Amino acid sequence: MIATLLGMRCPYCNSTDSRVTDSRPDIEDAIIRRRRVCNQCGAKFTTVERVQMRDLLIRKNSGKVEQFDREKLRRSIKLACRNRDVSDDQIEKLVTSIHRRLETETTDDSVSSALVGQMVSDSLLNLDPIAFVRFVSVYRKFSKISDFKKIINQIPEAETDAAVCNLPKATLF
């Protein structure tokens, strides 16, 4: 079976003998969810398949290099959006968009954490200005009230204006 070749294991009995009963594209066809049934114990479970163009490495400011982690990115965005009117679907689309841009718009397999932070900041500014301020305050390690004032003063008042906001990057940080 295909599941045996791929090493897909049942989360209940650990068997590699399962069959796909349903496949559905998700989030603009970037993900495929497969519903599976274990041929050994009969348990049903779902697997998720995502296209990965290449392995990305993140270069931290400290010089440390680590594997790109979608979950880490999702957690940081979700934390910034906590108690805001931002759905899990919007967060997933944002994560997918940033990941896809990193894979297609960069030529090196190693990208700087600053580039990822800038992409998240720009995306959050357009999605939710409060989430933007939360993210930037942690990402840029704000230590003074004046850091918050400086960034808040650069955000347009009307939320509808945020979608077309083109803040100069030099003055943003």
Side-chain angles (χ1 to χ4, degrees):
M1 295 278 179
I2 292 175
T4 303
L5 294 174
L6 298 176
M8 188 60 57
R9 295 195 176 275
C10 171
Y12 301 99
C13 72
N14 217 24
S15 170
T16 56
D17 186 18
S18 67
R19 68 183 187 283
V20 175
T21 60
D22 185 35
S23 292
R24 294 182 186 192
D26 194 14
I27 306 175
E28 301 168 7
D29 296 331
I31 297 172
I32 296 178
R33 295 187 181 280
R34 298 197 193 282
R35 193 72 182 144
R36 296 178 178 270
V37 176
C38 177
N39 291 328
Q40 186 166 335
C41 71
K44 296 178 181 178
F45 58 99
T46 302
T47 58
V48 178
E49 239 177 75
R50 178 185 324 277
V51 173
Q52 182 174 327
M53 299 171 79
R54 59 191 169 126
D55 289 331
L56 290 172
L57 300 172
I58 303 297
R59 286 186 320 274
K60 303 282 194 168
N61 292 334
S62 65
K64 181 180 175 186
V65 177
E66 61 184 48
Q67 193 76 29
F68 175 78
D69 184 352
R70 280 181 64 94
E71 276 307 308
K72 185 174 180 181
L73 179 61
R74 182 186 347 289
R75 281 191 310 270
S76 65
I77 293 170
K78 193 169 181 103
L79 184 61
C81 295
R82 185 169 175 229
N83 295 329
R84 300 295 304 152
D85 192 22
V86 178
S87 70
D88 286 339
D89 190 46
Q90 288 175 299
I91 292 170
E92 183 59 34
K93 285 180 180 178
L94 195 146
V95 170
T96 298
S97 170
I98 290 170
H99 189 193
R100 190 66 60 226
R101 286 178 57 203
L102 288 170
E103 287 181 322
T104 59
E105 295 176 9
T106 59
T107 55
D108 193 2
D109 286 345
S110 175
V111 296
S112 71
S113 61
L115 175 62
V116 177
Q118 188 63 52
M119 286 180 167
V120 173
S121 298
D122 292 346
S123 298
L124 284 176
L125 179 61
N126 293 328
L127 182 65
D128 185 280
I130 302 298
F132 162 77
V133 171
R134 289 174 173 175
F135 178 82
V136 170
S137 70
V138 173
Y139 175 67
R140 291 292 175 178
K141 299 176 182 156
F142 284 6
S143 60
K144 303 179 293 254
I145 295 296
S146 61
D147 296 334
F148 286 93
K149 288 179 182 177
K150 181 179 172 186
I151 203 73
I152 289 170
N153 287 336
Q154 295 177 34
I155 300 173
E157 276 297 317
E159 288 187 19
T160 56
D161 292 344
V164 293
C165 179
N166 292 318
L167 297 175
K169 289 184 178 31
T171 60
L172 191 58
F173 300 111

